[in-house]
Amino acid sequence: MAKKDRTTDAAEDREKWLARFQVRLAMQPGVDRAVVLQAVKEVTAHCADMDVDPRTAFGDPDAYAVQTAARLVPADRAAHEKRHAAAVDTLGSVLKRARDITGL
């Protein structure tokens, strides 16, 4: 059986890192499509300029997504999104309890 090409492995690793980074970034409060696109553009440009893979340059994609969101999303927008998410979660819990009590 032939070994995989190192460039193929590197490309797969890069794509996996970028995919995970995008998903984790999109999950952060206040992050919209524009923020994700800007962050991916920054990561790919940096990696191309420095000729490094994203894991070497930025480390864990989950941790870097949190850092990136903190850097790119205004604090007031992130706080608003967190409050909104908490309110929606609370409402969902109340509705679930109401359904449980009424048997619906």
Side-chain angles (χ1 to χ4, degrees):
M1 181 188 275
K3 288 186 178 182
K4 278 184 146 181
D5 186 357
R6 290 177 109 186
T7 56
T8 302
D9 287 345
E12 287 176 8
D13 290 344
R14 182 177 60 251
E15 292 303 317
K16 286 179 184 177
W17 190 98
L18 282 169
R20 184 166 183 103
F21 171 68
Q22 289 177 57
V23 168
R24 296 299 184 193
L25 182 58
M27 294 171 61
Q28 299 303 308
V31 171
D32 59 11
R33 184 174 187 269
V35 170
V36 173
L37 292 174
Q38 178 184 353
V40 169
K41 184 178 177 181
E42 289 175 1
V43 166
T44 54
H46 177 81
C47 290
D49 290 346
M50 303 307 261
D51 195 27
V52 295
D53 65 282
R55 185 168 301 278
T56 301
F58 302 106
D60 179 62
D62 297 344
Y64 191 63
V66 172
Q67 294 171 5
T68 302
R71 180 174 52 86
L72 296 178
V73 176
D76 59 335
R77 186 165 90 191
H80 173 74
E81 288 288 326
K82 285 179 184 177
R83 286 191 306 273
H84 178 76
V88 169
D89 288 346
T90 300
L91 180 60
S93 295
V94 169
L95 291 173
K96 182 182 181 314
R97 283 190 217 135
R99 281 192 302 266
D100 292 345
I101 290 169
T102 62
L104 296 175

